[in-house]
Amino acid sequence: MSPVKATHSEAAGALRPVASVPLSHVSIEVGHLYMEDFAPGQTDLTAYFRRLAPWVKLGTEELTAGQKRPRVSTCFLVDDYFRRSFPPGAVLPAVIDAAAEAGLTIDYIARESACAEAGGVPLAPLVRSRLVAEPPAGTNGSRPPVTEVGWLSNGMRSPSTGLEAMQAGKAWQPPTENAARNHSVFMDIELWSGDTGAEKWSCAYLAAVWQLLRLGVLRFEGKPVTALADAPASWPDSWDDVPPVVRLNERADPFSAYRTLSVMTNRFLATEHAVRTILGQVEVDPAVLRDVDGRAENEQLALPREIIERISYVFLGGGPLSA
């Protein structure tokens, strides 16, 4: 168990304990699939992981260059939030065995549902409480806050040109991206739908929580937000009975890490663009950030100041499971 350190939390405005969590140098996500992708069976899964394996190796080498004893953990996130077409006993052994056949070791399996709530900790609302939406230049406050409507933007959309009868026409104006480089790439991202307390969180939003978990920067009342469970002797019948994060490899390096790398096919490119936009508007607890940055400095690691710059990707072309 990591020691509890007393640090000053600017968010709370008073001293309170903030726990450290063990950290690897890199957390590598070895692929991501939808629940329906498990239908073809283990042979196709093995082919999928074989495509990813060389890129996992290259990414590991690039992100751990200069480390005498690199700490690297691998993980796989199972999409059990939006669909549960197959039980854990059908999906998890197939994934683990297929990765092993492809030469990949999966150290940790996590459930996407755990990015919404894990062990009684409301992770998705917790991250929402730390959203600091960027006010686009020239706005007048007419757009409701993201915490009310569940939509986050990286700029200002094209104003409506709807006219009432006899009203003078207005010239069309383009959408604009905040801090655009020469030209804009405008995004409007739905974070959740539904009423407070019954939210349906979006894939992009849960993926943003997933990145924060892997970076080890989430705390609930100063404590770590996920407890790691060892793999059971047999997988339960219900996804609800699978722990949020399961350690498959007892010799694995820590689950969370200073940096993350996700290797996946490019059908998730738009989602991950949204993830980066969301994380660019999340204020990580300064006390936690100081703890992580201080430990990196003690290890003579130079971490980027911005959280989103600690996240790397490899996107592969082709279909979900085939080249």
Side-chain angles (χ1 to χ4, degrees):
M1 180 66 70
S2 299
V4 175
K5 301 172 61 179
T7 56
H8 180 72
S9 168
E10 295 174 4
L15 283 173
R16 62 171 173 78
V18 173
S20 296
V21 298
L23 292 170
S24 291
H25 291 114
V26 186
S27 160
I28 301 182
E29 182 178 18
V30 289
H32 187 72
L33 297 168
Y34 293 127
M35 183 62 75
E36 57 266 31
D37 294 330
F38 299 117
Q42 187 170 326
T43 300
D44 285 24
L45 285 175
T46 300
Y48 170 74
F49 284 119
R50 281 182 175 145
R51 290 188 61 209
L52 270 58
W55 302 99
V56 171
K57 182 175 183 295
L58 285 173
T60 302
E61 292 173 352
E62 197 273 333
L63 290 171
T64 60
Q67 299 302 316
K68 293 181 179 178
R69 196 289 187 190
R71 300 190 303 274
V72 180
S73 64
T74 58
C75 57
F76 188 86
L77 184 69
V78 179
D79 171 24
D80 73 320
Y81 183 78
F82 297 98
R83 294 177 186 81
R84 295 186 171 189
S85 311
F86 307 101
V91 169
L92 299 182
V95 168
I96 296 165
D97 292 347
E101 284 188 35
L104 292 172
T105 298
I106 296 179
D107 295 323
Y108 300 94
I109 288 273
R111 292 190 296 110
E112 191 164 11
S113 292
C115 296
E117 183 271 338
V121 178
L123 290 184
L126 178 69
V127 172
R128 177 172 59 187
S129 71
R130 305 207 68 89
L131 284 174
V132 182
E134 295 178 3
T139 53
N140 57 12
S142 60
R143 178 173 175 136
V146 58
T147 51
E148 290 183 11
V149 297
W151 283 84
L152 178 145
S153 172
N154 68 343
M156 183 168 61
R157 69 166 51 251
S158 179
S160 171
T161 56
L163 301 175
E164 297 179 0
M166 306 302 291
Q167 186 177 11
K170 294 181 180 179
W172 178 83
Q173 296 181 14
T176 55
E177 176 189 1
N178 295 339
R181 184 179 177 84
N182 298 326
H183 297 83
S184 290
V185 179
F186 177 78
M187 290 195 80
D188 236 346
I189 305 160
E190 186 174 24
L191 307 188
W192 67 85
S193 57
D195 298 330
T196 300
E199 295 93 340
K200 186 72 172 179
W201 307 99
S202 70
C203 180
Y205 186 72
L206 294 177
V209 177
W210 172 235
Q211 289 285 358
L212 293 172
L213 275 175
R214 293 168 61 203
L215 288 168
V217 294
L218 290 181
R219 301 291 185 277
F220 182 64
E221 297 178 346
K223 301 177 182 176
V225 295
T226 55
L228 304 178
D230 289 327
S234 60
W235 295 105
D237 295 329
S238 168
W239 286 103
D240 291 332
D241 295 329
V242 177
V245 183
V246 178
R247 178 170 44 211
L248 303 175
N249 176 10
E250 62 181 14
R251 301 178 63 184
D253 285 322
F255 167 72
S256 296
Y258 292 120
R259 294 175 182 267
T260 69
L261 168 67
S262 294
V263 184
M264 54 185 60
T265 56
N266 60 16
R267 64 173 167 163
F268 296 104
L269 200 155
T271 299
E272 296 300 330
H273 184 187
V275 167
R276 294 179 64 83
T277 300
I278 295 167
L279 293 181
Q281 300 183 40
V282 172
E283 182 195 29
V284 172
D285 186 334
V288 177
L289 205 54
R290 277 196 298 273
D291 172 63
V292 172
D293 290 354
R295 291 164 60 190
E297 187 176 347
N298 289 339
E299 292 196 59
Q300 299 184 326
L301 297 174
L303 287 182
R305 182 174 178 275
E306 300 294 334
I307 283 290
I308 59 173
E309 300 308 325
R310 303 177 186 184
I311 300 170
S312 298
Y313 297 95
V314 172
F315 290 106
L316 303 181
L321 293 177
S322 60

